Amino acid sequence: QKEVEQNSGPLSVPEGAIASLNCTYSDRGSQSFFWYRQYSGKSPELIMFIYSNGDKEDGRFTAQLNKASQYVSLLIRDSQPSDSATYLCAVRGGFKTIFGAGTRLFVKA
Amino acid sequence: GAGVSQSPRYKVAKRGQDVALRCDPISGHVSLFWYQQALGQGPEFLTYFQNEAQLDKSGLPSDRFFAERPEGSVSTLKIQRTQQEDSAVYLCASSLAGTSGPTDTQYFGPGTRLTVL
């Protein structure tokens, strides 16, 4: 079993819709959780992090964390074609960050 | 510098050759990480430095892989006797502090794409 699991997609949503990306992790000792966006041929860039149960909002992005269920999600409201990318879920325990394989998102204009 | 830089950006090696990949972190950043990203996969942790000390090298795939950061700034990842399975993008990231907290953001370089023929 992989330590961080994501649906590889592709997830296709129309412009203006809400995109919902999910991630589960296996290590209960994980302390902080990250969502990165990676455009094709580029390096990952941090969208947001969360470390407490509940929701955290930043602009059009909302991260949700449920440690009991070992589940993290990212909601993107008012999706734009420029949001089309691979979204990487990452989990940190100590200094080591473990990444999922990513979910490809396509936002159709 | 303005960001993390890596060189070369692209490297083609014949199987069995040795390669050296360089990472220049953001000036003043204490922590430096190396990752390997295969096509269609997420980055996989290789090793971590805090200043010049290599605190974790558990992700290095074999003893052919070696990393160093002798003066606590620039780092080099060396791969000896390259194999085809070493073909991947090698990403370097740095962060300001030497903590494991979530606010210690990792900034990624552009990566080096290694192709082993």
Side-chain angles (χ1 to χ4, degrees), chain A residues 24-43:
Chain A
T24 58
Y25 61 95
S26 60
D27 184 357
R28 286 193 173 275
S30 300
Q31 299 159 337
S32 45
F33 308 85
F34 304 81
W35 284 100
Y36 286 82
R37 178 175 60 200
Q38 187 172 30
Y39 292 110
S40 181
K42 302 295 185 184
S43 55

Side-chain angles (χ1 to χ4, degrees), chain B residues 13-36:
Chain B
K14 290 184 179 178
R15 189 161 54 106
Q17 282 185 330
D18 297 349
V19 298
L21 312 180
R22 177 188 169 104
C23 172
D24 280 89
I26 294 172
S27 179
H29 276 200
V30 168
S31 297
L32 186 145
F33 305 81
W34 282 100
Y35 295 89
Q36 179 190 61

Side-chain angles (χ1 to χ4, degrees), chain A residues 11-12 16 27 63 70 83 93 95 98-99 107:
Chain A
L11 173 66
S12 184
D27 184 357
Q70 296 174 247
D83 294 327
F95 295 102
I98 306 298
F99 286 81
V107 181

Side-chain angles (χ1 to χ4, degrees), chain A:
Chain A
Q1 181 190 3
K2 285 194 170 181
E3 294 182 64
V4 179
E5 299 246 22
Q6 296 181 254
N7 187 321
S8 63
L11 173 66
S12 184
V13 301
E15 183 175 359
I18 295 175
S20 177
L21 304 162
N22 305 314
C23 171
T24 58
Y25 61 95
S26 60
D27 184 357
R28 286 193 173 275
S30 300
Q31 299 159 337
S32 45
F33 308 85
F34 304 81
W35 284 100
Y36 286 82
R37 178 175 60 200
Q38 187 172 30
Y39 292 110
S40 181
K42 302 295 185 184
S43 55
E45 54 179 332
L46 181 68
I47 297 173
M48 61 191 307
F49 65 83
I50 186 168
Y51 52 87
S52 299
N53 276 326
D55 295 1
K56 180 181 179 184
E57 187 174 317
D58 184 0
R60 295 187 296 112
F61 300 95
T62 298
Q64 299 173 317
L65 173 62
N66 183 326
K67 290 186 178 180
S69 301
Q70 296 174 247
Y71 176 88
V72 195
S73 67
L74 180 70
L75 300 177
I76 307 174
R77 288 181 298 282
D78 188 23
S79 296
Q80 301 297 308
S82 58
D83 294 327
S84 298
T86 295
Y87 289 80
L88 299 165
C89 172
V91 173
R92 185 183 297 174
F95 295 102
K96 199 175 200 175
T97 302
I98 306 298
F99 286 81
T103 298
R104 285 185 298 148
L105 172 67
F106 289 111
V107 181
K108 298 174 291 185

Side-chain angles (χ1 to χ4, degrees), chain B residues 6-11 13 17-23 34 66 68 75-80 82 90 112 114:
Chain B
Q6 293 185 245
S7 61
R9 292 292 313 279
Y10 302 91
K11 177 69 180 178
Q17 282 185 330
D18 297 349
V19 298
L21 312 180
R22 177 188 169 104
C23 172
W34 282 100
F66 172 77
E68 60 183 4
S75 177
T76 303
L77 176 67
K78 297 179 180 178
I79 309 173
Q80 297 178 322
T82 52
Y90 290 84
T112 295
L114 173 65

